[in-house]
């Protein structure tokens, strides 16, 4: 699926559409700094019924949120240098016990997902808008 974001409120439609298409408990979010990964996550969690404050997990590496459907874990792997650091945070246990795991900057862990089913969203900031691809 392809979307274009012209205004911040456009994220609402994308969040609703993504929720209706979720079939797996892993969502990879790709995009450069400031592309809108955390903004999308805020809209997504609100639409899933979370009342938690959603922030970027840049320094904490993982944030935990509650929803009526279950726990959501929001990862930011940007600062992790290798796969050992990813395993050190216990990512496998999170994946096994979550309604949804949202992983920003998943590249350091992507090869380990071989054989698992997941969704992927790419966000391209063109300067005037955001071009979104969701699979």
């Amino acid at each position: 699926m392809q979307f274009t974001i012209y205004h911040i409120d456009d994220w609402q439609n994308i969040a609703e559409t993504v929720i209706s298409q979720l079939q797996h408990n892993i969502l990879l979010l790709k995009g450069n700094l400031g592309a809108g990964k955390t903004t999308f996550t805020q809209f997504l969690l609100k639409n899933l019924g979370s009342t938690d404050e959603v922030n970027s997990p840049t320094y904490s590496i993982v944030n935990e949120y509650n929803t009526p459907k279950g726990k959501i874990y929001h990862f930011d792997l940007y600062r992790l240098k290798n796969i050992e650091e990813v395993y050190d945070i216990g990512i496998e246990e999170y994946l096994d016990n979550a309604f949804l795991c949202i992983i920003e900057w998943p590249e350091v862990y992507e090869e380990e997902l071989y054989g698992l089913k997941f969704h992927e969203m790419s966000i391209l900031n063109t300067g005037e808008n955001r071009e979104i691809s969701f699979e």
Side-chain angles (χ1 to χ4, degrees):
M1 292 182 186
Q2 304 292 323
F3 306 93
T4 301
I5 298 285
Y6 297 101
H7 188 270
I8 193 164
D9 293 335
D10 295 339
W11 285 111
Q12 176 62 31
N13 180 49
I14 293 173
E16 291 171 359
T17 302
V18 166
I19 289 169
S20 73
Q21 298 297 311
L22 281 178
Q23 299 174 8
H24 316 298
N25 76 326
I26 302 171
L27 172 59
L28 308 182
L29 290 183
K30 296 182 176 183
N32 57 351
L33 288 171
K37 297 180 295 292
T38 298
T39 300
F40 164 74
T41 302
Q42 291 169 337
F43 277 88
L44 185 73
L45 286 170
K46 181 181 176 191
N47 279 273
L48 286 169
S50 178
T51 57
D52 296 335
E53 183 178 341
V54 177
N55 297 304
S56 174
T58 300
Y59 296 102
S60 61
I61 309 298
V62 62
N63 290 341
E64 177 181 318
Y65 302 107
N66 294 303
T67 72
K69 294 184 178 279
K71 296 277 187 198
I72 295 182
Y73 299 102
H74 181 197
F75 296 87
D76 184 331
L77 304 183
Y78 182 76
R79 297 177 42 179
L80 302 186
K81 307 280 187 270
N82 55 53
I83 193 63
E84 288 80 22
E85 291 182 343
V86 177
Y87 284 121
D88 286 347
I89 65 169
I91 196 165
E92 291 175 308
E93 188 170 329
Y94 288 108
L95 295 177
D96 289 342
N97 295 298
F99 166 70
L100 181 64
C101 285
I102 301 166
I103 306 174
E104 295 187 25
W105 303 98
E107 290 78 6
V108 71
Y109 185 64
E110 223 166 345
E111 285 185 22
E112 303 301 312
L113 293 172
Y114 179 78
L116 297 178
K117 295 183 179 195
F118 57 87
H119 296 281
E120 183 174 312
M121 176 181 278
S122 297
I123 307 169
L124 175 63
N125 182 351
T126 67
E128 294 182 16
N129 56 46
R130 307 287 197 279
E131 298 296 328
I132 315 297
S133 172
F134 173 77
E135 303 173 14

